[in-house]
């Protein structure tokens, strides 16, 4: 089977890695370098802690195991896989009670959770007076561009090819099935299947392939400090981060997220706002994120920021990724709309896409167990996009 994967970010690289590992003939096409889009604008989160029980958490649990497998196969150090664990903290007693209810649901779904009374035992530099929190030992982090590059390099070692080009349209056979893609330069690449792993541009690529899906951009900022000695041991965030992830509000939302990196810098997030593809720098958002971080970790008041970066999270209206074959265009398989969870969910998405291509389970991914992610959910009975 010839497979063209559109997109060389973390999700596209994972699709290529698993498909090539299964013996498929894979070509990865992107108009830019590996990981140059949304992948390069994220923190590298591999999280279970922020997900309600349901389809996304099911995919995240599989993906967490597959990240460990990738670390064993490719060398965890090559993409800085760090099982640091997460610490979710509440700022009030009421918030702690609400967090407890959320945690109980996650525990019943199989997530490992550890309630913490004195959070300073885990994070000595956190602000005093935090009433409590929850430790998630399964949370981890990767360096996202290195992770995408490692997966794509491994795919090439297994026979995949890469091309720098922009996909302009699908090429269809006499029965409407996809037989390849045509690039903007007019070249035709033959394919039995085309994987739409174009991230924020997944909606546009889907349209060009004859299978539009509603993937929308949500802008976010991340702050980076000067290198410091180890001061933050876990990924630490306030409990309202979970609500921000699930919100569909178009306005600006911020919730405090602080974590260290192996290089010594500290990453500070997270903001979300629906402004289309507007890349304008907003100093007010930077100031708001910095203030929230300083309240959580007071030592940051004396720390310099060295840069900020911003990018777009690709999300679907129901906040679930769209993964699976599209019935409107036989041969098109979607793998996009992961919002801020694309890095964490990439390996499981790649395995699930490969399972759909093979028509059987692959690396623990069974299409029958992930039907809630199929594009069918966005279609009317007549088959038109909603």
């Amino acid at each position: 089977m010839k497979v063209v994967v559109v997109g060389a970010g973390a999700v596209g690289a994972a699709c290529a890695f698993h498909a090539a590992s299964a013996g498929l003939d894979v070509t990865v096409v992107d108009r830019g370098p590996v990981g140059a889009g949304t992948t390069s604008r994220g923190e590298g989160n591999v999280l279970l802690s922020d997900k309600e029980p349901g389809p996304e958490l099911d995919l995240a649990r599989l993906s967490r195991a597959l990240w460990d497998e990738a670390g064993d196969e490719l060398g965890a150090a090559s993409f800085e896989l760090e099982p640091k664990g997460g610490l979710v903290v509440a700022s009030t007693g009421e918030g702690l009670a609400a967090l407890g209810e959320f945690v109980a649901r996650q525990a019943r779904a199989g997530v490992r959770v550890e309630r913490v009374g004195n959070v300073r035992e885990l994070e000595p530099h956190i602000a005093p007076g935090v009433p409590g929190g929850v430790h998630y030992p399964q949370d981890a982090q990767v360096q996202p561009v290195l992770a995408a590059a490692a997966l794509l390099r491994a795919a090439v070692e297994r026979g995949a090819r890469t091309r720098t080009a922009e996909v302009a349209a699908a090429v269809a056979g006499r029965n409407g099935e996809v037989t390849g893609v045509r690039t903007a330069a007019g070249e035709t690449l033959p394919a039995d299947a085309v994987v739409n792993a174009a991230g924020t541009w997944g909606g546009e690529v889907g349209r060009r392939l004859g299978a539009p899906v509603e993937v929308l951009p949500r802008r976010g900022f991340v702050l980076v400090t000067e290198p410091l000695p180890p001061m933050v041991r876990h990924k630490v965030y306030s409990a309202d981060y979970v609500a921000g992830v699930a919100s569909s509000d178009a306005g600006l939302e911020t919730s405090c997220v602080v974590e260290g990196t192996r290089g010594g810098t500290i990453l500070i997030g997270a903001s979300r706002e629906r402004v289309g593809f507007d890349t304008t720098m907003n100093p007010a958002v930077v100031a708001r994120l910095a203030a929230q971080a300083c309240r959580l970790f007071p030592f940051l008041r004396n720390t310099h920021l060295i840069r900020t970066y911003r990018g777009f999270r690709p999300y679907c209206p129901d906040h679930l990724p769209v993964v699976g074959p599209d019935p409107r265009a036989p041969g098109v398989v979607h793998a996009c709309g992961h919002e801020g969870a694309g890095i964490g969910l990439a390996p499981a998405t790649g395995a699930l896409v490969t399972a759909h291509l093979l028509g059987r389970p692959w690396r623990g991914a069974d299409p029958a167990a992930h039907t809630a992610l199929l594009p069918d959910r966005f279609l009317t009975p007549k088959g038109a996009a909603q």
Side-chain angles (χ1 to χ4, degrees), residues 267-361:
L267 306 180
I268 299 169
S271 67
R272 288 175 168 77
E273 54 186 331
R274 285 167 51 184
V275 293
F277 286 98
D278 183 0
T279 61
T280 303
M281 170 58 71
N282 188 338
V285 176
V286 174
R288 186 165 161 180
L289 290 172
Q292 291 176 337
C294 289
R295 284 195 292 271
L296 190 59
F297 284 96
F299 76 86
L300 289 172
R301 296 189 183 113
N302 299 315
T303 301
H304 293 98
L305 289 179
I306 59 173
R307 67 185 180 102
T308 65
Y309 58 91
R310 54 204 180 275
F312 300 98
R313 302 177 181 91
Y315 81 100
C316 294
D318 60 359
H319 296 282
L320 290 176
V322 55
V323 184
D326 196 303
R328 297 165 297 176
V332 172
V333 181
H334 295 292
C336 52
H338 296 77
E339 198 165 343
I343 305 299
L345 298 177
T349 298
L352 182 56
V353 164
T354 301
H356 279 295
L357 294 172
L358 295 172
R360 58 177 172 81

Side-chain angles (χ1 to χ4, degrees), residues 39-186:
T39 293
S40 67
R41 305 295 175 174
E43 297 167 82
N45 294 331
V46 181
L47 303 182
L48 303 184
S49 56
D50 63 341
K51 295 171 179 62
E52 281 273 9
E56 188 180 27
L57 180 59
D58 294 341
L59 195 68
R61 292 182 65 207
L62 172 61
S63 212
R64 181 66 187 86
L66 290 176
W67 271 122
D68 281 342
E69 288 188 16
D72 292 339
E73 289 185 53
L74 312 181
S78 69
F79 54 91
E80 298 182 9
L81 173 61
E82 188 176 2
K84 62 169 61 176
L87 178 64
V88 183
V89 297
S91 57
T92 65
E94 293 80 3
L96 186 60
L99 177 60
E101 295 174 3
F102 175 71
V103 166
R105 295 194 297 273
Q106 288 182 306
R108 289 193 293 271
V111 178
R112 290 170 54 196
V113 297
E114 300 169 355
R115 297 174 189 258
V116 181
N118 182 5
V119 296
R120 301 194 90 183
E121 292 180 355
L122 295 182
E123 290 291 344
H125 300 287
I126 205 167
V130 175
V134 179
H135 178 226
Y136 289 85
Q138 293 167 292
D139 280 1
Q141 182 179 11
V142 299
Q143 207 294 334
V145 176
L146 291 180
L151 288 167
L152 191 55
R153 184 167 56 248
V156 170
E157 291 171 354
R158 289 157 174 76
R161 295 171 297 277
T162 62
R163 298 291 297 274
T164 301
E166 181 173 353
V167 170
V171 178
R174 66 177 61 185
N175 297 318
E177 77 282 4
V178 169
T179 60
V181 296
R182 188 175 70 253
T183 71

